């Protein structure tokens, strides 16, 4: 039940091909430095940066084992430089500095690091989903939800129709804090998009409403990031739905319709 997401599901969102040979682990040691806080890699570039870090770490380990400390030093410097472009690596580095400041009881350093962590956190992929999304499969196909955030909690709210839960009500919540314990990512083979090779998962809970009794149930769930898409799985009932972002022009139309609908509802309620 834990591994509900399959590689074939991921491949359905991007052209894929079978790799005839094992992928060569090549890296470029010269990476553009992050000149300002927030100059992080995103999307496919972020996946490539993380792949580079993993390859450099392997080369570092090999250099240490063989006693090539010059090569190990070069790899370590390149790893540090690459990590400056990964918001999660930067966040974890700041978190370590915060713990050191707490041990020193350095209040000023703790506050400064906390401020930086708040900024960096919102460059993490799981914090970039705010807006309207439409279901691509299952009971929510072609139905729109709105993603918003309450601190470190991602909240999905139904916009149209009463499938699964009534319109206007929360359908799932997900813990997206980088400090929360999360399930292991899913490794996916034979995909060309580097974002699909390791799918991050986040613990949450999904809501369902019994149509007969109208009673509400919250079930354990997971959100899975799949490149430009995401999926939410209601684990106990083996229900999994993919979502794609609503284009900006359609988002504007939906927002206008929602405002008009709210106005009509208000007029009708005033007449009763």
């Amino acid at each position: 039940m834990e591994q509900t997401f399959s590689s074939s599901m991921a491949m359905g969102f991007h052209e894929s091909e079978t790799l005839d040979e094992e992928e060569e682990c090549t890296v470029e040691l010269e990476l553009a430095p992050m000149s300002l806080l927030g100059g992080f890699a995103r999307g496919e570039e972020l996946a490539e940066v993380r792949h580079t870090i993993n390859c450099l770490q392997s080369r570092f380990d090999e250099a240490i084992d063989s006693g090539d400390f010059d090569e190990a030093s070069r790899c370590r410097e390149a790893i540090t430089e690459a990590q400056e472009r990964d918001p999660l690596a930067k966040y974890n580095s700041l978190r370590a500095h915060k713990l050191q400041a707490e041990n020193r009881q350095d209040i000023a350093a703790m506050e400064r690091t906390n401020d930086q962590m708040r900024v960096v956190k919102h460059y993490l992929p799981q914090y970039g989903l705010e807006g309207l999304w439409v279901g691509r499969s299952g009971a929510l196909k072609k139905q729109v939800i709105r993603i918003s955030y309450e601190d470190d909690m991602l909240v999905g709210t139904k916009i149209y129709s009463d499938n699964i839960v009534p319109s206007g009500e929360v359908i799932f919540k997900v813990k997206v804090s980088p400090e929360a314990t999360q399930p292991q990512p899913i490794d996916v083979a034979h995909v060309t998009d580097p974002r699909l090779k390791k799918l991050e998962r986040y613990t949450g809970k999904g809501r369902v409403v019994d149509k007969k009794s109208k009673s509400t149930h919250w079930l354990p769930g997971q959100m899975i990031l799949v490149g430009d898409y995401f999926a939410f799985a209601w684990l106990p009932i083996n229900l999994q739905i993919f979502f794609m972002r609503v284009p900006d022009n359609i988002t504007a139309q939906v927002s206008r319709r929602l405002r008009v609908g709210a106005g009509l509802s208000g007029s009708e309620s005033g007449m009763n």
Side-chain angles (χ1 to χ4, degrees):
M1 187 65 67
E2 177 73 1
Q3 291 287 109
T4 60
F5 193 87
S6 67
S7 60
S8 60
M9 294 174 181
M11 293 165 66
F13 285 93
H14 196 277
E15 294 182 2
S16 59
E17 60 185 18
T18 301
L19 303 181
D20 295 329
E21 298 180 1
E22 184 177 352
E23 181 182 2
E24 184 179 0
C25 189
T26 59
V27 298
E28 178 62 55
L29 295 181
E30 303 258 340
L31 288 171
M34 185 180 69
S35 57
L36 294 173
L37 188 64
F40 299 111
R42 293 174 178 267
E44 187 170 344
E45 184 184 8
L46 178 56
E48 293 288 0
V49 167
R50 289 176 173 173
H51 174 69
T52 295
I53 292 171
N54 290 336
C55 288
L56 286 167
Q57 186 62 53
S58 296
R59 285 173 54 174
F60 173 81
D61 294 339
E62 291 172 1
I64 290 296
D65 291 342
S66 65
D68 189 347
F69 299 112
D70 288 339
E71 172 68 4
S73 178
R74 286 193 294 270
C75 288
R76 174 50 60 194
E77 290 178 3
I79 289 170
T80 300
E81 190 173 335
Q83 286 176 334
E84 286 293 308
R85 306 216 56 227
D86 181 348
L88 181 57
K90 184 65 175 179
Y91 185 92
N92 289 335
S93 174
L94 290 169
R95 187 179 176 190
H97 287 309
K98 178 185 173 183
L99 291 174
Q100 293 171 2
E102 289 176 351
N103 291 335
R104 299 194 308 270
Q105 296 185 341
D106 187 338
I107 304 301
M110 289 169 54
E111 292 177 349
R112 183 170 60 252
T113 306
N114 261 332
D115 290 340
Q116 291 180 314
M117 289 172 67
R118 277 194 292 269
V119 172
V120 171
K121 181 171 64 176
H122 292 285
Y123 287 90
L124 295 170
Q126 66 266 34
Y127 284 89
L129 304 178
E130 186 168 12
L132 299 183
W133 295 75
V134 61
R136 284 180 55 104
S137 61
L140 292 181
K141 187 173 183 179
K142 296 184 179 180
Q143 297 179 31
V144 181
I145 66 168
R146 185 189 305 278
I147 297 296
S148 59
Y149 291 88
E150 298 174 358
D151 295 325
D152 293 317
M153 185 73 72
L154 178 148
V155 180
T157 304
K158 284 291 300 297
I159 299 299
Y160 292 134
S161 89
D162 292 336
N163 282 9
I164 301 184
V165 300
S167 178
E169 297 194 15
V170 173
I171 190 168
F172 55 75
K173 293 184 175 183
V174 182
K175 299 176 182 178
V176 294
S177 170
E179 298 183 29
T181 301
Q182 303 292 3
Q184 288 295 316
I186 301 172
D187 292 319
V188 183
H190 311 312
V191 291
T192 56
D193 189 333
R195 296 171 300 171
L196 302 183
K197 293 180 179 180
K198 188 177 290 291
L199 306 180
E200 301 291 339
R201 297 187 290 169
Y202 303 88
T203 299
K205 56 183 180 180
R207 184 166 172 248
V208 293
V209 176
D210 188 296
K211 290 185 177 181
K212 293 183 179 180
S213 67
K214 303 299 182 182
S215 59
T216 296
H217 304 279
W218 286 96
L219 305 177
Q222 289 181 1
M223 180 181 75
I224 307 100
L225 296 186
V226 192
D228 293 328
Y229 304 83
F230 76 88
F232 187 86
W234 286 256
L235 298 178
I237 58 176
N238 200 29
L239 172 64
Q240 186 166 260
I241 296 176
F242 289 90
F243 296 91
M244 64 175 289
R245 189 179 287 280
V246 175
D248 291 341
N249 61 322
I250 305 299
T251 295
Q253 294 176 26
V254 171
S255 298
R256 284 196 297 271
R257 289 180 182 178
L258 290 174
R259 288 196 295 270
V260 170
L264 290 174
S265 297
S267 299
E268 292 170 358
S269 63
M271 293 174 62
N272 292 334

